[in-house]
Amino acid sequence: MMETESRVGSIKPTFSLILATRERTEELRRFLAALNESSYTRCECIVVDQNSDDRLAPVLEEWADRVSIKHVRSSQGLSRARNVGLSYASGNVLAFPDDDCWYAPDLLQRVVLFFKQNPHYGMLSVGIRDLSGRVSGNRWIRSSCELATTNLFRTSVGIGLFVRRGREANSMRFDESLGVGAGTPFASGEDTDYVFRLLEAGVRGRFDRGLTVFHPRRDMMSSHADEVRAYSYGCGMGRVIRKRSKLPLLPAFLAFDLLRATFSLLCGRSDLASLCSSHGKGVLEGYLVSK
């Protein structure tokens, strides 16, 4: 692994933003630009580079004097890259932005205020919206609630998660068999599994849609997925349900996919019905895979 650092000051950061990236440059530039406009500046951005070339060099050089950046390298796999980033983190709060997301200007300031006013919480999960303001992640029916095992699949998207450092969080790592690029059938679930384990370790968490991370909408119902992706994301969900021994969640999610498929067919959208069916098949088969 290689590490390079930008030239921005030496004050210990409050936030360590662990950003895994591959094959994107303009999106990373957008994230750094938004970070530069943040009302709260005590943070470091740990860019975990999974590219085989030096395409990030011009982008990182452009922002090196304005944003505190640590540039490290990792082999492919989202969970693997985040674990590499965690080994370099020095901030009091951990976050895991995607390379195609960006933060609202007041987000970090409001996260700091939340943890200051709520010392008994160790996690905060915030809302995800696209550029138009539509919800593009964390599709939960409530605007705020406690993080609980019954709602984590709807409230714990990794890019919207902030974790206060402590004994449990310091030792917690992502399951490298889960997530995009893992080399397994399980292309999702790494962030949910991570939060599950923190909850089981006694760390309390809160979901609040009033705080915002921006991210393009890429879910099945927006036609930004194919059957392979739908199936592999379903596999990840099923795997986490099995891994965390949450069998009662399995029929609930299978029924949800069946209802979505049926509704899509009634609306004349056989393409969406096929995606929902593939996702449901993945959930079931991900659960049934032997440990």
Side-chain angles (χ1 to χ4, degrees), residues 32-80:
L32 294 173
L35 193 60
N36 186 55
E37 295 297 319
S38 173
S39 59
Y40 192 87
T41 58
R42 287 186 57 190
C43 60
E44 63 181 0
C45 184
I46 303 172
V47 177
V48 188
D49 186 350
Q50 299 178 92
N51 296 294
S52 59
D53 54 27
D54 294 322
R55 72 184 65 197
L56 297 187
V59 179
L60 300 181
E61 180 63 25
E62 177 185 346
W63 292 98
D65 292 325
R66 289 172 282 178
V67 177
S68 178
I69 300 171
K70 290 181 179 179
H71 178 205
V72 303
R73 289 190 180 271
S74 166
S75 54
Q76 291 186 24
L78 178 56
S79 292
R80 189 171 299 113

Side-chain angles (χ1 to χ4, degrees), residues 103 191 227 237 285:
Y103 287 169
D191 40 15
E227 290 189 27
M237 179 180 288
E285 295 188 3

Side-chain angles (χ1 to χ4, degrees), residues 25 27-28 36 43 47 54 70-71 86 92 104 144 156 232 276:
T25 54
E27 294 90 344
L28 177 59
N36 186 55
C43 60
V47 177
D54 294 322
K70 290 181 179 179
H71 178 205
L86 282 167
N92 302 316
S144 63
S156 61
S232 62
C276 294

